[in-house]
Amino acid sequence: MSAVMTLALMPGVTRGEAAERPNIVLMMCDDMGWGDTGFNGNAIIQTPELDALAREGTVLDHFYSVGPVCSPTRAAFLTGRHYFRMGVWSANQGHLPEQEFTLARMLKSNGYMTGHFGKWHLGTLSRTISAKGKRRRPDLHYAPPWERDYDASFVTESAVCTWDPGIGRRARNNPYYENGVPTDENVLGCDSRVLMDRAVPFIEQAVAREQPFLSVIWFHAPHEDIQAGPEYLARYEGHGEAAHYYGCITAVDDQIGRLRRKLDQLGVADNTLLFFCSDNGPEGQTPKDRSKTRRAGSAGDFSGRKRSVLDGGVRVPALVHWAGKVPAGVRLDVPLSVMDLLPTVAAITGTEPLPNRWLDGENVLPIWKGEQSKRQKAIPFRYGEFACLVRGTHKLIIESASDTSHDRLFDLSNDVTESNNLADQHPGLVGSMRKELLEFLESAKSSHAGEDYDGDHTKPVERWRSLSKAESSSLQSHTNFVR
């Protein structure tokens, strides 16, 4: 395997001070459905390591990726902000602006070593080539992790095959970049193992230097192209093509177990926070006979899949494990999202987010600990023709800023399939949530125009995408979305 670049302690940070702060490992799968893990009830897919984390930690039972596709979720994950603020409209669109205050920037300023491993999908890694060609122009959307405050990185621009990721159609113009340099070293076999081969040495080096670390590990599995190795196919003999999907998830699980054993061996397991989720719901529609397709993901009882703002497209498996700090064996039903990660990690590490910067997430550490049962902020969504808001147990979906005839309101506490529209029965609640949602959109529009970046006159690469031609431009109250 390749060596990780040599890194030094941040100026002004002593080794003793560094040891007091927890290490942060944030993991995410790609296109894994809510129902694809044992801890969420899957009886076929073997996920013993994730199930152990769930027993020893807290399952986030009502957790939203926010984006129903890859890139939007990733932008929100790293910034605590909705992806529309950055112009990351959909997969392979937009990029992570250099002005954004990210988890990596925040923790690097606090003495952490920072590393990112696996999928990136937040801009191109070259100024001249892109895996997606015209969909993401490299001259406009160059935004690699090594220029976004990561000390070490091993990443691809977009999806690769889950077996032999260094070759094949998805590897075309889409190689692994190691610390900014394309590499063909150790990029064959199981992709989850390939990327963990880089994450583990990074963690070893941080521990040797007695520096706290942030390690963001974004697995490609089980995104297409879905191919499991022989060892994993053998575990699912008799399941036909679905064995590839099941095997890819078990491969991820094995690597998470490998990571946990390494943390234990290094003596830092008890001082390391582990977080896991998926970036959106499962791909495609699965026929009754799952053995005939590799798109065998399960959204559980929820309606919708990837590319849908129904819960099956955005409610994903998630858990948090932090020995002695987060309760064991608990399932939380409070609505949470990837946008909560930055403000929560800020609270955990004693690091301040930027003042006067719109944040759509909130510090949910008291919820994780069981000290608080409700969140303060609603959770906004936006994709294609639809905008949504989750407030408590209710979810509102609208299609127009002015036409209310297609508004849908659901009570998620007793309608997980989102089949009973209550909009006509609760006009006051719809009006309140609609107003809050439109205020958010207006706030996001201002952010997209660059108004959050103090003293910076950078213009957005692409024009704002309105919900409808009638979208209001007069709403100015954004208080519900301010930190």
Side-chain angles (χ1 to χ4, degrees), residues 406-463:
H406 297 292
D407 289 358
R408 286 173 281 170
L409 178 71
F410 305 108
D411 184 349
L412 300 175
S413 67
N414 56 34
D415 181 20
V416 297
T417 60
E418 296 169 82
S419 56
N420 184 20
N421 185 1
L422 304 175
D424 290 341
Q425 300 176 38
H426 300 282
L429 180 58
V430 170
S432 172
M433 292 181 69
R434 180 176 248 282
K435 180 176 182 292
E436 185 172 359
L437 181 52
L438 293 177
E439 287 173 350
F440 158 72
L441 291 174
E442 189 65 20
S443 172
K445 183 177 181 180
S446 297
S447 298
H448 173 257
E451 294 182 15
D452 292 355
Y453 305 142
D454 296 338
D456 191 284
H457 300 289
T458 300
K459 299 297 182 183
V461 173
E462 299 176 348
R463 63 180 179 83

Side-chain angles (χ1 to χ4, degrees), residues 178-240:
E178 189 161 20
N179 300 323
V181 180
T183 182
D184 59 2
E185 183 180 350
N186 185 21
V187 291
L188 300 180
C190 176
D191 177 71
S192 297
R193 190 268 309 158
V194 166
L195 67 90
M196 194 63 77
D197 279 354
R198 268 60 174 208
V200 166
F202 165 80
I203 290 171
E204 289 175 327
Q205 188 176 63
V207 173
R209 293 178 174 275
E210 298 182 30
Q211 269 188 275
F213 58 84
L214 166 70
S215 182
V216 179
I217 303 173
W218 285 352
F219 297 98
H220 290 96
H223 190 290
E224 295 179 317
D225 293 348
I226 306 167
Q227 183 176 343
E231 172 192 351
Y232 295 100
L233 288 176
R235 297 194 197 184
Y236 294 102
E237 187 175 357
H239 287 280

